[in-house]
């Protein structure tokens, strides 16, 4: 099976601009989660989408938004970019269903990330 | 509050030495704990999960609820173990993971 793909891989923007990042999950996976990775804060959860609905949201400002399409592909948008938004943005996909008797966690498979640099 | 703490940013050991990467968590319930690994220029990937109670690549981790810890251990480090290791916590019905800040393991020859 092909893995999770993210486009573009690298992006350079200036403050005030907006950006859209794309994530294509593994075939059959219906859940897509987004994480921000920075040297100072590590990996922080942004949001999760399942069957086109946002299922969970992290503590990020409203400038960060996302959506999921019927084919499970997801996009993440950041408006009015700030220098502090420079980061590696990772998406992860999973089946997203209720897991097993032992665990409610569905293993997530991560993409390679999009490196966003804000100048 | 849900939190994962990895106190060491960097752990440097020699090949063949024992390794212990520390992880402590805060969660008011029964969490699931994981270790993820990111090798240089590779994707973040799941190394092991506490409910599996298995050894992967010689690594083991035991959940200690009394000490709220989930330390990762390996008796004899190999150079190919050099990577960034993240401890993560899952709680609740959705797939949200809470990660620690990571520990860079450097195994010297």
């Amino acid at each position: 099976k092909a893995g999770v793909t993210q486009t573009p891989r690298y992006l350079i923007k200036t403050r005030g601009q907006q950006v859209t990042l794309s994530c294509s999950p593994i075939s059959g996976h219906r859940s897509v989660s987004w994480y921000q990775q920075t040297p100072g804060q590590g990996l922080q959860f942004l949001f999760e989408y399942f069957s086109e609905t946002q299922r969970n949201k992290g503590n990020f400002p409203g400038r960060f938004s996302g959506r999921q399409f019927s084919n499970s592909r997801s996009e993440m948008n950041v408006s009015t970019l700030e220098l502090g938004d420079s980061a590696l943005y990772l998406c992860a996909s999973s089946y997203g269903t209720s897991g097993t008797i032992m665990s409610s966690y569905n293993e997530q498979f991560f993409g390679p990330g999009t490196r966003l640099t804000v100048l | 509050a849900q939190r994962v703490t990895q106190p060491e940013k960097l752990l440097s050991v020699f090949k063949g030495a024992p390794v212990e990467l520390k992880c402590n968590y805060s969660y008011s319930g029964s969490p699931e704990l994981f270790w993820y690994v990111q090798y240089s220029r590779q994707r973040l990937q799941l190394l092991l999960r506490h409910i599996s109670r298995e050894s992967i690549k010689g690594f083991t981790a035991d959940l200690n609820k009394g000490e709220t810890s989930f330390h990762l251990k390996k008796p004899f480090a190999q150079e190919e173990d050099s990577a960034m290791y993240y401890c993560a916590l899952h709680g609740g019905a959705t797939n949200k993971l809470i990660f620690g800040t990571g520990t860079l393991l450097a195994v010297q020859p």
Side-chain angles (χ1 to χ4, degrees), chain A residues 3-5 31 33 35 37 39-45 48 55-59 88 90 93-97 100 102-112, chain B residues 2 9 30 32-34 36 38 41-47 49-53 84-102:
Chain A
V4 178
T5 58
S31 166
S33 296
Y35 293 84
Q37 186 176 22
Q41 300 293 321
L43 280 148
Q44 293 187 283
F45 175 79
E48 181 199 7
R55 192 157 72 167
N56 206 340
K57 191 177 190 315
N59 295 324
L88 182 67
L90 297 176
S93 79
S94 73
Y95 287 110
T97 51
T100 67
M102 289 183 68
S103 168
S104 63
Y105 176 70
N106 258 233
E107 183 178 349
Q108 295 177 71
F109 294 85
F110 284 82
Chain B
Q2 302 174 8
K9 284 191 186 300
S30 292
E32 289 186 67
L33 275 296
F34 306 84
Y36 275 79
Q38 191 169 28
R41 297 189 184 86
Q42 292 189 29
R43 305 175 183 211
L44 191 64
Q45 57 186 287
L46 179 64
L47 180 62
R49 52 199 300 181
H50 87 267
I51 62 167
S52 300
R53 302 184 65 82
M84 195 72 174
Y85 291 81
Y86 293 94
C87 182
L89 176 156
H90 172 255
T94 64
N95 249 7
K96 174 183 176 180
L97 285 175
I98 298 167
F99 284 91
T101 49

Side-chain angles (χ1 to χ4, degrees), chain A residues 37-107:
Chain A
Q37 186 176 22
T38 59
Q41 300 293 321
L43 280 148
Q44 293 187 283
F45 175 79
L46 280 154
F47 28 65
E48 181 199 7
Y49 285 86
F50 178 76
S51 292
E52 302 179 65
T53 301
Q54 188 180 87
R55 192 157 72 167
N56 206 340
K57 191 177 190 315
N59 295 324
F60 279 81
R63 301 185 296 106
F64 291 82
S65 63
R67 60 177 175 168
Q68 187 179 35
F69 302 95
S70 59
N71 62 358
S72 295
R73 189 177 70 85
S74 176
E75 287 182 348
M76 190 193 107
N77 186 275
V78 187
S79 62
T80 319
L81 283 166
E82 300 177 359
L83 295 179
D85 297 333
S86 294
L88 182 67
Y89 289 88
L90 297 176
C91 82
S93 79
S94 73
Y95 287 110
T97 51
S98 56
T100 67
I101 290 173
M102 289 183 68
S103 168
S104 63
Y105 176 70
N106 258 233
E107 183 178 349

Side-chain angles (χ1 to χ4, degrees), chain B residues 16-83:
Chain B
V19 170
E20 183 179 49
L21 300 172
K22 291 184 167 43
C23 172
N24 288 89
Y25 68 90
S26 172
Y27 185 74
S28 58
S30 292
E32 289 186 67
L33 275 296
F34 306 84
W35 278 99
Y36 275 79
V37 62
Q38 191 169 28
Y39 300 102
S40 179
R41 297 189 184 86
Q42 292 189 29
R43 305 175 183 211
L44 191 64
Q45 57 186 287
L46 179 64
L47 180 62
L48 54 80
R49 52 199 300 181
H50 87 267
I51 62 167
S52 300
R53 302 184 65 82
E54 56 190 346
S55 173
I56 304 291
K57 299 184 179 183
F59 285 98
T60 59
D62 290 318
L63 180 61
N64 185 322
K65 292 186 178 181
E67 297 182 358
T68 59
S69 69
F70 187 56
H71 303 328
L72 183 67
K73 300 178 184 178
K74 184 170 182 176
F76 308 103
Q78 303 298 316
E79 289 180 66
E80 55 265 30
D81 296 329
S82 295

